[in-house]
């Protein structure tokens, strides 16, 4: 299984960014997906999750609610995270992860995720 995150970079406060995660080696539409981030203080902080359907049920951390949109395209085996109005505190390494939910659920618990990709670094300057 490979989860390849991309789209990170150096941006200014208030800018937008879209992260992508290309999945292979798994039946993508059978997995709930999530985005997590690693900051200087928190190893795996929940950011957003989506269940296995394109256009499915989503969940967001309070810190990004209203500024982030998680989505997926099951036809392309790709997960996305659109981040708007970025803040310096959003600076982190962002990881995508796959959770074999065995159903239409999702999880905010990093420990429940089965597969992880390499992260992509997002740096937001003030």
């Amino acid at each position: 299984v490979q989860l390849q995150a991309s789209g990170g970079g150096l941006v200014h406060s208030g800018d937008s960014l879209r992260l992508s995660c290309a999945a292979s080696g798994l039946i993508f539409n059978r997995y709930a997906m999530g985005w997590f981030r690693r900051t200087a203080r928190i190893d795996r902080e929940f950011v957003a999750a989506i269940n296995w359907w394109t256009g499915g049920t989503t969940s967001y951390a309070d810190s990004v609610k209203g500024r982030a949109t998680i989505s997926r395209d099951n036809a392309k085996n790709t997960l996305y995270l659109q981040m708007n109005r970025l803040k310096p505190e959003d600076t982190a390494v962002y990881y995508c992860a796959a959770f074999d939910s065995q159903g239409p659920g999702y999880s905010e618990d990093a420990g429940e995720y089965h597969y992880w990709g390499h992260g992509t670094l997002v740096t937001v300057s003030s």
Side-chain angles (χ1 to χ4, degrees):
V1 174
Q2 286 195 330
L3 301 175
Q4 183 63 52
S6 61
L10 173 62
V11 297
H12 297 291
S13 182
D15 285 350
S16 298
L17 207 61
R18 188 174 84 156
L19 306 181
S20 298
C21 174
S24 60
L26 78 171
I27 302 174
F28 185 66
N29 62 11
R30 293 186 181 179
Y31 284 79
M33 299 296 295
W35 286 100
F36 294 80
R37 62 189 181 186
R38 176 167 55 86
T39 68
R41 292 187 293 174
I42 303 175
D43 184 40
R44 293 287 167 100
E45 178 186 28
F46 169 72
V47 177
I50 187 169
N51 72 353
W52 57 10
W53 295 311
T54 295
T57 304
T58 58
S59 177
Y60 297 93
D62 288 343
S63 59
V64 302
K65 198 171 292 183
R67 299 189 298 120
T69 302
I70 186 172
S71 62
R72 64 190 295 163
D73 186 337
N74 286 349
K76 296 181 178 179
N77 286 3
T78 303
L79 175 73
Y80 303 99
L81 181 69
Q82 176 71 41
M83 293 280 291
N84 300 323
R85 302 192 303 280
L86 283 159
K87 305 175 182 180
E89 50 264 45
D90 293 319
T91 294
V93 178
Y94 284 73
Y95 298 88
C96 57
F99 166 48
D100 187 3
S101 58
Q102 299 289 315
Y106 56 79
S107 176
E108 300 174 2
D109 181 354
E112 292 195 310
Y113 280 74
H114 297 84
Y115 302 109
W116 291 82
H118 296 291
T120 185
L121 175 63
V122 174
T123 304
V124 184
S125 64
S126 57

